[in-house]
Amino acid sequence: MTPQPRLSSVATTRIERAGIDDIAVKVHAGERLSYDDGVRLFNTPDLTAVGALANLVRERLHGDVTYFNRNIHINATNVCEASCIFCSFARLEEGMAAAYTMSVDEAVGRIDALKDAFITEVHIVNGLHPGLPFSYYTDLLKALKKARPDLHIKGFTAVEMHYYAEKYGMTYEQVITALRDAGLESMPGGGAEIFHDRARKKLCHDKVDADGWLEVHRVAHGLGMRTNCTMLFGSIEKLDERVDHLVRLRELQDESLAAKALDPSLGSFQTFIPLKFHNENNRLAGIAAPTGHDALRTLAVSRLMLDNIPHIKSYWIMLGMQIAQVSLSYGASDLDGTVREERIYHMAGARTPQSLTRTELIQLIRSAGRIPVERDTHYNVVAEA
Ligand code: V47
């Protein structure tokens, strides 16, 4: 039998001193943490104590294994009707400076240009373009699949799905089914931002609300689709609003897993990605960017609260490589991928490279004392590096 990971005596002392030993008892017993526990974990001064608990759960679930994949991002258009105040990527109308919309051929060209590079996934996220027909998206998916049938297409946030449903007079089920029939295989977690009404109204008053975001994922899970989920942290939200967000994701995952227990073909959340607010070129530019300390704590509390979501992803593009490395001992078990052509974070001030090679990712993981494993989108092992 594999030995269960244990806390060191130093960690145990720090946990006692931090006054969170009752939470540690629950973590040891595999008991669910409450909303109040989550709020306390965010407010406990000793990050190391919280991190040690998150690391215990991470090692219990995945040992030293750290997943990554080889992927490319395509943002086919940045023209977007929504007016999210944290966004540096969107342009309200076609014709504005830096606004763009790729033709289907152009988007496929991005993949063709990579013919020799081995990738397993394309990640598609777009603005809410008021002038495109729904067939643009299905044509895009079909053309990508035709060019590279082997590539897994993860794409279209719940925000986009909701927009299409309203704009083209379809139900969520009709939108998801049509996109799936055209080649979509899973959904990314974007657009969740912060569910709490107070913060959401300030951040993104004119896009889908929290219930709508969750409902799109509920429907996708019911149609057998695996999805990811996110939380934008470090802008104007309060710490208890972060906990509220995590609890709402956990509740939906409870529902989806209960349904999946009866019918294993159904979907659920695979990965949670806390997204660190970037403060350049947007209307929140006056707000200080969250610290590395805050990022590590948010990853750690997420690992502890989301006891029913298998993976916590530390997206190196937005965390920076150093914090991403350290995060592998604060709850994270996935680094995302090689990426290529990331726009959303680089337009908001990210200083990270546009992509990393497989070798660089492997080095990053190994030098943090973890074991790199290349995965596909569904966490099947592609290669033990
Ligand atoms: O929905 C936009 C966020 C998201 C900013 O599912 C910002 O595997 C911080 O969801 N500062 C898109 N965040 C990215 C995303 C994602 C990324 C990697 C992997 C996966 C996955 C999903 O980025 C948006 C929004 O929440 N965002 N602007 C900003 N200034």
Side-chain angles (χ1 to χ4, degrees), residues 84-377:
C84 309
I85 57 173
F86 56 82
C87 185
S88 318
F89 166 71
R91 296 293 178 271
L92 190 60
E93 283 171 17
E94 233 24 291
M96 290 175 85
Y100 72 90
T101 301
M102 293 179 192
S103 67
V104 167
D105 285 350
E106 259 177 276
V108 175
R110 303 288 163 128
I111 302 282
D112 276 342
L114 296 173
K115 265 212 166 78
D116 298 332
F118 179 78
I119 52 168
T120 59
E121 174 191 277
V122 51
H123 176 153
I124 305 176
V125 173
N126 309 303
L128 308 180
H129 194 304
L132 293 172
F134 187 60
S135 57
Y136 171 83
Y137 306 102
T138 48
D139 288 349
L140 175 66
L141 287 164
K142 285 181 199 157
L144 287 170
K145 262 288 164 205
K146 191 165 171 223
R148 284 287 303 269
D150 56 310
L151 275 191
H152 177 109
I153 306 181
K154 173 178 86 177
F156 302 93
T157 63
V159 173
E160 291 160 78
M161 302 275 196
H162 171 85
Y163 180 74
Y164 304 152
E166 281 202 329
K167 184 171 176 62
Y168 307 113
M170 298 161 85
T171 62
Y172 292 158
E173 185 166 346
Q174 286 167 336
V175 170
I176 296 168
T177 307
L179 294 175
R180 190 181 60 183
D181 290 349
L184 184 71
E185 283 158 289
S186 67
M187 274 173 66
E193 322 313 359
I194 287 285
F195 291 146
H196 195 283
D197 230 31
R198 184 204 69 86
R200 194 169 188 86
K201 281 204 174 110
K202 286 191 177 165
L203 288 169
C204 50
H205 68 94
D206 57 356
K207 75 180 184 194
V208 66
D209 64 11
D211 288 341
W213 190 98
L214 290 162
E215 182 60 19
V216 172
H217 282 263
R218 184 179 284 114
V219 172
H221 294 169
L223 290 168
M225 199 170 269
R226 298 190 212 177
T227 72
N228 291 343
C229 48
T230 59
M231 172 175 75
L232 171 68
F233 72 92
S235 67
I236 52 102
E237 84 287 358
K238 298 177 183 164
L239 292 177
D240 57 348
E241 292 169 347
R242 294 188 197 177
V243 181
D244 170 75
H245 189 97
L246 297 174
V247 169
R248 290 206 216 182
L249 289 174
R250 188 170 77 179
E251 284 169 357
L252 174 56
Q253 180 77 334
D254 275 345
E255 265 182 57
S256 297
L257 290 179
K260 198 175 165 64
L262 301 174
D263 178 355
S265 72
L266 299 184
S268 58
F269 289 128
Q270 299 200 108
T271 309
F272 172 72
I273 312 121
L275 297 169
K276 176 170 167 271
F277 168 62
H278 278 54
N279 66 354
E280 288 184 26
N281 308 317
N282 57 49
R283 277 175 282 163
L284 287 178
I287 292 186
T291 59
H293 190 279
D294 190 13
L296 290 173
R297 181 184 295 271
T298 306
L299 280 153
V301 179
S302 307
R303 178 61 289 165
L304 290 164
M305 292 300 289
L306 297 175
D307 53 12
N308 54 5
I309 298 187
H311 300 281
I312 304 293
K313 187 188 281 186
S314 180
Y315 185 36
W316 65 266
I317 285 268
M318 55 101 197
L319 283 181
M321 270 111 84
Q322 290 86 352
I323 294 291
Q325 244 186 341
V326 178
S327 76
L328 302 182
S329 299
Y330 281 77
S333 51
D334 189 305
L335 278 187
D336 201 82
T338 44
V339 182
R340 285 165 189 268
E341 302 205 18
E342 199 287 327
R343 291 173 197 250
I344 296 174
Y345 282 92
H346 286 93
M347 287 170 87
R351 304 278 182 269
T352 41
Q354 273 291 341
S355 73
L356 286 179
T357 63
R358 182 175 190 272
T359 310
E360 285 167 332
L361 271 173
I362 289 171
Q363 274 167 359
L364 204 75
I365 296 168
R366 281 224 180 101
S367 60
R370 299 299 197 188
I371 300 169
V373 171
E374 184 179 347
R375 62 164 175 84
D376 66 12
T377 309

